Amino acid sequence: MAEPKENLQMEKIVSLCKRRGFVFQSSEIYGGINGFWDYGPLGAELKRNVKELWWNAMTRQRDDVAGLEATIIMSPAIWKASGHVDTFSDPMCDCKKCKKRHRADQLCEDQGLTLGKNAAGKFELPAGTKCTGCGSTDLTEPRPFNLMFKTYVGPVESDDNVAYLRPETAQAIFAQFKNVLDTSRQKVPFGIAQVGKAFRNEVTPRNFTFRSREFEQMELEFFIKPDEVIEALYGSVASGSSRVCENADDPRSDEARLPQPNWGWQVWHQYWVEERVRFYEGIGLARDTLGFHHQTPEELAHYARACTDILFKFPFSKKDANGKVTGDELEGIAARSDFDLSQHQRFSGKPMGVFDDELRTAWGKLPKEKQDDLWRRYYEHRKNYLTKSAKPDETTEQIQKQATEDANGLAKGQYIPHVIEPSAGVDRLILALIAKAYSETTETDAKGKTETTYVMKFHPRVAPIKVGVLPLLKNKPELVKKALAVRDLLRPWMNVYYDDGGSIGKRYARQDEAGTPFCVTIDFDTLGEKPELLDTVTLRYRDDGRQERLKIAELRDWLLAKIR
């Protein structure tokens, strides 16, 4: 379970994760299974807290987002429409000497090389690429390896019964778009959120839980009106950069939180990048701990208009050409145009567009030259999509006819929504929070004895245990009784850990290592040894060891204000 020796910090984190019950290797007693991880008692609580906070922020604190929980196995036609069956692959190569299998792009990246393509469009290893197992340069040519896990539905293993474990949660949202729209009483712009498992048969899982074969995603598909529709309705499209406000004092930061009806895709994209950064700030990942990568046109998927990756500097993150650690991806926020709904409309034969009565009315009031301009722009966009996604038997005339029908729909108040997609990996975020929280201090006492203490400095909102309740002595029934009463007072509202084993110092240390932000000690003053302190407790802060007295009657509300 240990990471490579050269990454000592990561090795320490992995060790603590097992020792304290954050993360275990799956099937460990049988030697483990690569790319799969189990979350222990503390890890399960941490993960649940993060998902619940995301869900609250995305759905319960907003009026314009609805939730969905879809099945892991869906019709294989969905993955054909989305392109996963044909194109969802990584380049793989094998060492002919030691037989070790590599993901070719990662192999090149680790050696400061770039995986290229030959004249035929096939991947090609640069000269000098070495196997990391044995150092041999005798490697097979890279070949595509589809990442989807295949299974069968029903008792017969035949081609007719092939299905796949979903490699992402997004496609279920697109497939259920019309059902959610019809039943949730939402109108565009609005979003559909989902948290769930996904599966990718990674060639080389690595970096602990960062790249796994089974993982969880938190995804939002936020559907917006095309810019041509916005312009028809409001006369113009609000301008804006698709770049994140990397300066927290930038006035756009506040403006970005107030959606306006004339926003186009660029401003919506900027808005969601900023919203996601604010979420991370709210759970302990300050803006200055994050990085941002704005994908270049060469990096973007063919259907995407923009994509901003939010990065975190993990212990294993590499340096760029300038010696700067840029980080690895936590979340991508992509402007995906209308590609996904369009694909499912074409492959299913079911309409995925929406009707907007306001658009129909506004269109009729536009000058003819304005109608023609918007029509032509929408036509060109649809023709471009249809051309790139054309089936082998589709002709240019058929594509132009369909694009004309789509553009004519504007006058009838019909269009296919575009989408902004914030997509975050739960497991990567958990690892980032653990890495950020990890702290160690080594001290030597007067006798020369050296001791290292570990503190997991989680933000109280995500901490697995919110408060430890500790009687000063366990052999004093009156202290224990009072401590249990305090535990029961708090337990309905938060995760409480009762601990009466060992010295109070050791118990504090255990809670520090678990990341518990506050400890409450019931001592003799609680019982009234000093009358003025009757029914008060000692409240200890994890990060600096500071202590103060607090009335038991005030304890619940004080803690709730800190952990929510």
Side-chain angles (χ1 to χ4, degrees):
M1 189 169 176
E3 290 292 304
K5 292 292 184 182
E6 61 268 17
N7 196 331
L8 183 59
Q9 181 74 356
M10 198 64 209
E11 188 177 78
K12 291 178 179 179
I13 289 173
V14 172
S15 175
L16 182 138
C17 282
K18 180 178 181 181
R19 184 175 73 251
R20 288 314 313 260
F22 284 100
V23 183
F24 306 131
Q25 188 171 31
S26 176
S27 312
E28 184 177 353
I29 62 172
Y30 291 99
I33 178 170
N34 195 17
F36 297 89
W37 303 93
D38 296 335
Y39 286 81
L42 291 178
E45 289 290 341
L46 175 62
K47 195 173 187 182
R48 184 177 294 273
N49 290 344
V50 167
K51 291 190 292 184
E52 190 69 16
L53 287 167
W54 185 91
W55 189 260
N56 281 334
M58 284 296 192
T59 64
R60 295 173 185 166
Q61 302 300 319
R62 301 184 65 98
D63 295 325
D64 57 356
V65 175
L68 178 71
E69 184 168 334
T71 59
I72 288 172
I73 295 178
M74 300 182 289
S75 167
I78 286 177
W79 306 114
K80 184 69 176 176
S82 67
H84 284 81
V85 170
D86 297 324
T87 64
F88 190 61
S89 60
D90 279 338
M92 176 184 69
C93 63
D94 296 321
C95 176
K96 295 180 181 178
K97 183 177 180 181
C98 71
K99 311 304 180 185
K100 183 174 182 178
R101 180 158 292 171
H102 304 276
R103 193 172 130 180
D105 56 334
Q106 292 177 350
L107 185 65
C108 293
E109 179 187 335
D110 291 345
Q111 298 175 44
L113 304 171
T114 301
L115 182 66
K117 287 187 177 181
N118 58 26
K122 294 184 178 181
F123 286 111
E124 191 171 61
L125 290 171
T129 307
K130 297 179 180 179
C131 169
T132 56
C134 67
S136 171
T137 58
D138 193 9
L139 304 168
T140 64
E141 286 301 311
R143 57 198 185 278
F145 172 70
N146 194 284
L147 300 178
M148 287 196 294
F149 281 102
K150 182 185 291 187
T151 187
Y152 298 91
V153 175
V156 180
E157 294 187 7
S158 67
D159 291 344
D160 293 335
N161 295 324
V162 167
Y164 302 95
L165 303 186
R166 65 184 181 194
E168 63 176 34
T169 57
Q171 294 306 318
I173 295 176
F174 298 125
Q176 294 289 3
F177 167 72
K178 292 302 291 285
N179 280 333
V180 175
L181 178 66
D182 293 342
T183 58
S184 65
R185 300 181 63 82
Q186 294 280 357
K187 291 184 178 180
V188 178
F190 85 103
I192 303 175
Q194 181 172 207
V195 179
K197 291 274 192 179
F199 305 82
R200 296 181 183 179
N201 195 11
E202 295 282 353
V203 177
T204 53
R206 60 179 184 171
N207 293 328
F208 198 25
T209 58
F210 182 82
R211 189 176 299 280
S212 305
R213 288 174 169 141
E214 177 180 338
F215 54 94
E216 280 194 271
Q217 290 180 297
M218 303 181 295
E219 289 196 304
L220 171 71
E221 305 301 332
F222 195 82
F223 300 94
I224 60 175
K225 298 173 182 178
D227 281 8
E228 294 84 0
V229 172
I230 295 295
E231 194 167 337
L233 288 168
Y234 305 107
S236 64
V237 179
S239 61
S241 168
S242 61
R243 295 292 180 93
V244 66
C245 306
E246 295 176 19
N247 177 4
D249 296 325
D250 192 318
R252 292 178 299 167
S253 298
D254 292 328
E255 294 171 4
R257 294 179 64 81
L258 301 172
Q260 300 298 319
N262 66 336
W263 280 8
W265 73 266
Q266 279 190 320
V267 186
W268 274 117
H269 183 249
Q270 175 185 311
Y271 167 84
W272 277 113
V273 173
E274 183 63 27
E275 285 295 287
R276 299 305 303 134
V277 172
R278 288 176 181 267
F279 174 81
Y280 289 124
E281 288 180 307
I283 60 174
L285 298 181
R287 190 177 297 252
D288 60 8
T289 70
L290 304 174
F292 303 91
H293 173 65
H294 309 288
Q295 291 189 15
T296 64
E298 293 75 25
E299 293 174 304
L300 288 172
H302 70 85
Y303 50 78
R305 289 179 163 178
C307 185
T308 296
D309 297 327
I310 299 177
L311 314 175
F312 178 79
K313 298 178 181 65
F314 291 93
F316 49 76
S317 294
K318 295 180 173 60
K319 295 180 181 179
D320 61 17
N322 299 316
K324 180 182 178 182
V325 178
T326 55
D328 288 275
E329 183 185 347
L330 279 182
E331 175 166 358
I333 299 94
R336 295 175 63 98
S337 71
D338 56 5
F339 171 79
D340 299 281
L341 290 180
S342 296
Q343 284 291 96
H344 289 298
Q345 177 172 284
R346 295 185 72 206
F347 277 76
S348 71
K350 304 294 174 58
M352 287 292 177
V354 298
F355 169 73
D356 189 327
D357 190 53
E358 292 181 359
L359 170 62
R360 183 175 62 176
T361 301
W363 189 270
K365 297 177 181 179
L366 293 175
K368 180 65 166 56
E369 58 270 23
K370 188 65 173 180
Q371 290 180 347
D372 290 345
D373 176 54
L374 294 176
W375 186 98
R376 182 175 60 257
R377 283 155 50 190
Y378 195 76
Y379 167 84
E380 290 296 334
H381 169 75
R382 294 301 296 166
K383 186 178 75 170
N384 183 53
Y385 154 72
L386 292 165
T387 300
K388 288 184 176 180
S389 306
K391 298 176 182 178
D393 58 347
E394 284 184 294
T395 65
T396 301
E397 291 74 17
Q398 289 173 319
I399 289 172
Q400 292 174 339
K401 180 182 178 182
Q402 183 60 58
T404 299
E405 292 179 5
D406 292 344
N408 288 342
L410 294 175
K412 304 173 186 177
Q414 297 171 344
Y415 62 88
I416 294 179
H418 288 222
V419 69
I420 307 295
E421 179 193 71
S423 177
V426 181
D427 305 88
R428 291 184 176 189
L429 178 51
I430 298 303
L431 183 56
L433 291 170
I434 289 173
K436 176 67 169 57
Y438 181 87
S439 173
E440 65 176 77
T441 302
T442 301
E443 296 181 347
T444 303
D445 62 19
K447 297 180 179 180
K449 181 181 179 182
T450 299
E451 183 178 12
T452 301
T453 58
Y454 304 90
V455 180
M456 296 298 290
K457 297 184 177 181
F458 293 117
H459 191 288
R461 299 180 76 203
V462 301
I465 301 168
K466 305 305 183 186
V467 60
V469 175
L470 321 173
L472 185 62
L473 300 171
K474 71 175 181 179
N475 59 353
K476 298 295 183 181
E478 61 271 31
L479 289 177
V480 171
K481 181 179 179 181
K482 196 68 172 181
L484 291 173
V486 171
R487 180 202 64 183
D488 294 342
L489 171 71
L490 300 176
R491 183 176 270 177
W493 303 94
M494 63 197 73
N495 192 22
V496 181
Y497 190 88
Y498 178 86
D499 190 358
D500 62 6
S503 70
I504 195 68
K506 289 188 179 297
R507 283 182 274 166
Y508 282 153
R510 282 199 293 267
Q511 292 305 309
D512 288 347
E513 202 171 64
T516 307
F518 309 105
C519 281
V520 169
T521 301
I522 287 74
D523 52 27
F524 291 106
D525 287 337
T526 309
L527 303 180
E529 188 170 275
K530 294 179 181 178
E532 68 273 18
L533 297 180
L534 177 66
D535 286 333
T536 66
V537 294
T538 297
L539 179 75
R540 176 186 179 271
Y541 294 78
R542 174 197 63 207
D543 293 346
D544 57 12
R546 181 165 49 94
Q547 297 185 5
E548 63 182 74
R549 299 297 296 192
L550 193 67
K551 293 180 180 179
I552 293 175
E554 300 172 356
L555 187 57
R556 185 198 68 176
D557 291 343
W558 188 94
L559 287 168
L560 286 175
K562 302 293 184 183
I563 66 175
R564 287 183 172 176

